[in-house]
């Protein structure tokens, strides 16, 4: 009797890949709304353009591979990758920057390894890192948040102009709070907050609410059991612990408070929408705890002592390398066998 060989990801019961992907897209809405409120509609234009490009890249690759295009477009995996990449990018990014990122994510990181279920690295984070290394100026040019340097945000027409005719668009931009904190290590936390009003209450005007929005979406996904709590909680706990150990009471040379790191940058977005990727993360319960905790430690180490202030993408990709190794040593013992591989008497 020949058994049917079906590739991952596997679905059981009514929960299909397309349904999971659509719920992931819905869960990003609170965070996207917060980003749009404080930074303007640039993120929405990023998402729309990124999704169109992703569908085009997916269709092109499926045609070249002689696969049914419609079937693979309906699973919404390309839309999820495009949306996650667009959220991570600065608002009002030019069209060509998004094109390079989407092509790197869909064509290189996903389909050159065989497509969904075969990619060893998170596609959205691969695209983001390619852009961050190749175009550091464009990728660190964040718009000033409403109430933290900007009195009004650009409108939709200005956002479209910034994307498709960037040479004619001029907006108020500034470094992110994480970047400023790294650049001004000789100042106390209090001095930084007084000097830069867009630091907000804990970790930056707009950034705090965006992180809370992604936290709300992530908790909803946990409620739906789209993923387990192990990796996100381990990552957040490790990041909080590291920042508490090196905080130094806000003195110069300190690393920032736990709240600063938990509600700053892409922390909650990474914890619930990137770390939980079932294809590129560890699969056992113990493995997920180790995987998430090491990502939290790496995020803190790169933020404080590395060259990249946010560090979520780099930490995730490094641990994507290590996920198979973690799984090898954390898989539960098969019933009827000893841990060393021998059978029980």
């Amino acid at each position: 009797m020949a058994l049917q060989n079906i590739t991952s990801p596997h679905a059981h019961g009514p929960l299909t890949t397309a349904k999971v992907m659509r719920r992931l897209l819905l869960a990003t809405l609170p965070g996207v709304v917060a980003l749009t409120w404080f930074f303007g509609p640039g993120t929405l234009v990023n998402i729309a353009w990124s999704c169109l490009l992703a569908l085009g890249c997916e269709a092109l690759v499926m045609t070249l591979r002689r696969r049914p295009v419609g079937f693979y477009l309906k699973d919404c995996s390309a839309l999820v990758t495009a949306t996650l990449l667009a959220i991570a990018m600065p608002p009002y990014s030019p069209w060509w920057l998004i094109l390079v990122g989407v092509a790197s994510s869909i064509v290189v990181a996903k389909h050159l390894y065989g497509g969904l279920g075969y990619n060893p690295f998170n596609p959205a984070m691969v695209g983001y890192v390619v852009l961050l290394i190749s175009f550091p100026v464009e990728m660190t040019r964040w718009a000033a948040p409403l109430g933290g340097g900007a009195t009004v945000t650009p409108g939709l027409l200005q956002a479209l102009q910034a994307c498709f005719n960037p040479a004619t668009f001029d907006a108020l931009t500034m470094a992110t709070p994480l970047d400023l904190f790294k650049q001004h290590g000789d100042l106390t936390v209090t001095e930084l907050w007084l000097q830069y009003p867009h630091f907000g209450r804990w970790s930056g005007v707009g950034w705090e609410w965006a992180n809370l929005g992604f936290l709300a979406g992530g908790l909803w996904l946990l409620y739906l059991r789209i993923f387990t709590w192990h990796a996100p909680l381990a990552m957040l706990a490790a990041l909080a612990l590291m920042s508490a150990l090196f905080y130094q009471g806000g003195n110069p040379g300190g690393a920032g408070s736990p709240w600063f790191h938990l509600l700053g940058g892409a922390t909650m977005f990474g914890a619930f929408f990137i770390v939980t990727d079932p294809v590129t993360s560890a699969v056992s319960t113990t493995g997920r705890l180790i995987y998430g905790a090491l990502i939290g430690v790496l995020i803190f180490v790169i933020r404080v002592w590395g060259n990249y202030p946010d560090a979520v993408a780099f930490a995730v990709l490094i641990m994507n390398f290590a996920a198979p190794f973690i799984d090898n040593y954390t898989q539960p013992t098969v019933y009827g066998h000893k841990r060393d591989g021998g059978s029980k008497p």
Side-chain angles (χ1 to χ4, degrees), residues 55-73:
L55 292 175
C57 289
E58 187 91 352
L60 175 62
V61 173
M62 288 296 101
T63 301
L64 294 175
R65 295 178 63 186
R66 298 180 180 179
R67 301 289 180 86
V69 175
F71 174 81
Y72 287 96
L73 291 183

Side-chain angles (χ1 to χ4, degrees), residues 113-195:
Y113 288 96
L116 181 64
Y118 292 97
N119 51 289
F121 307 106
N122 186 286
M125 294 299 96
V126 170
Y128 180 83
V129 167
V130 167
L131 295 179
L132 189 59
I133 294 175
S134 305
F135 310 101
V137 175
E138 287 80 3
M139 289 297 290
T140 55
R141 191 178 292 161
W142 271 83
L146 183 65
T151 55
V152 294
T153 58
L156 180 58
L157 291 179
Q158 290 176 299
L160 292 171
Q161 179 186 4
C163 181
F164 298 105
N165 193 12
T168 62
F169 180 76
D170 185 21
L172 178 62
T173 60
M174 58 178 59
T176 64
L178 283 171
D179 198 10
L180 286 174
F181 198 89
K182 175 181 285 292
Q183 296 173 7
H184 297 83
D186 55 333
L187 299 178
T188 66
V189 172
T190 302
E191 291 171 339
L192 272 172
W193 253 252
L194 292 175
Q195 187 171 344

Side-chain angles (χ1 to χ4, degrees), residues 180-192 242-243 245-257 261 300 303-305:
L180 286 174
F181 198 89
K182 175 181 285 292
Q183 296 173 7
H184 297 83
D186 55 333
L187 299 178
T188 66
V189 172
T190 302
E191 291 171 339
L192 272 172
M242 292 290 292
S243 55
L245 290 174
F246 291 92
Y247 178 41
Q248 299 181 11
N251 295 320
S257 69
H261 285 280
F300 180 83
R303 278 182 178 179
V304 177
W305 298 297

Side-chain angles (χ1 to χ4, degrees), residues 7-334:
T7 60
S8 61
H10 304 289
H12 299 277
L15 194 62
T16 63
T17 300
K19 288 182 179 180
V20 170
M21 297 298 174
R22 287 196 292 266
R23 291 175 184 181
L24 282 170
L25 291 173
L26 286 174
T28 63
L29 284 179
V32 171
V33 168
L35 287 173
T36 304
W37 175 265
F38 285 98
F39 296 98
T43 302
L44 298 178
V45 175
N46 282 5
I47 293 173
W49 177 234
S50 182
C51 286
L52 285 175
L53 291 172
L55 292 175
C57 289
E58 187 91 352
L60 175 62
V61 173
M62 288 296 101
T63 301
L64 294 175
R65 295 178 63 186
R66 298 180 180 179
R67 301 289 180 86
V69 175
F71 174 81
Y72 287 96
L73 291 183
K74 289 178 182 178
D75 68 10
C76 299
S77 61
L79 293 179
V80 169
T81 298
T83 300
L84 297 181
L85 174 63
I87 290 172
M89 294 180 65
Y92 313 104
S93 294
W95 66 269
W96 58 267
L97 189 69
I98 301 174
L99 173 60
V100 173
V102 170
S104 300
S105 298
I106 300 296
V107 178
V108 178
K110 180 181 178 182
H111 283 293
L112 283 187
Y113 288 96
L116 181 64
Y118 292 97
N119 51 289
F121 307 106
N122 186 286
M125 294 299 96
V126 170
Y128 180 83
V129 167
V130 167
L131 295 179
L132 189 59
I133 294 175
S134 305
F135 310 101
V137 175
E138 287 80 3
M139 289 297 290
T140 55
R141 191 178 292 161
W142 271 83
L146 183 65
T151 55
V152 294
T153 58
L156 180 58
L157 291 179
Q158 290 176 299
L160 292 171
Q161 179 186 4
C163 181
F164 298 105
N165 193 12
T168 62
F169 180 76
D170 185 21
L172 178 62
T173 60
M174 58 178 59
T176 64
L178 283 171
D179 198 10
L180 286 174
F181 198 89
K182 175 181 285 292
Q183 296 173 7
H184 297 83
D186 55 333
L187 299 178
T188 66
V189 172
T190 302
E191 291 171 339
L192 272 172
W193 253 252
L194 292 175
Q195 187 171 344
Y196 297 98
H198 66 288
F199 261 91
R201 183 171 182 178
W202 293 299
S203 190
V205 175
W207 296 94
E208 301 162 348
W209 285 103
N211 273 279
L212 291 175
F214 289 120
L215 172 61
L219 293 177
W220 180 64
L221 292 176
L222 276 175
Y223 172 76
L224 296 177
R225 298 184 178 180
I226 300 299
F227 49 76
T228 65
W229 57 267
H230 303 86
L233 183 61
M235 173 195 144
L236 296 176
L239 180 59
L241 177 61
M242 292 290 292
S243 55
L245 290 174
F246 291 92
Y247 178 41
Q248 299 181 11
N251 295 320
S257 69
W259 286 118
F260 178 75
H261 285 280
L262 290 174
L263 296 179
T267 300
M268 295 297 173
F269 174 69
F272 292 100
F273 294 90
I274 305 299
V275 174
T276 55
D277 179 11
V279 177
T280 59
S281 66
V283 297
S284 66
T285 298
T286 305
R288 288 174 184 148
L289 290 171
I290 297 172
Y291 176 81
L294 290 177
I295 287 177
V297 172
L298 283 173
I299 289 173
F300 180 83
V301 169
I302 299 173
R303 278 182 178 179
V304 177
W305 298 297
N307 293 325
Y308 296 95
D310 200 321
V312 171
F314 287 98
V316 168
L317 291 181
I318 290 172
M319 290 310 302
N320 287 164
F321 271 110
F325 178 81
I326 294 172
D327 283 333
N328 185 59
Y329 287 95
T330 58
Q331 287 289 349
T333 305
V334 178

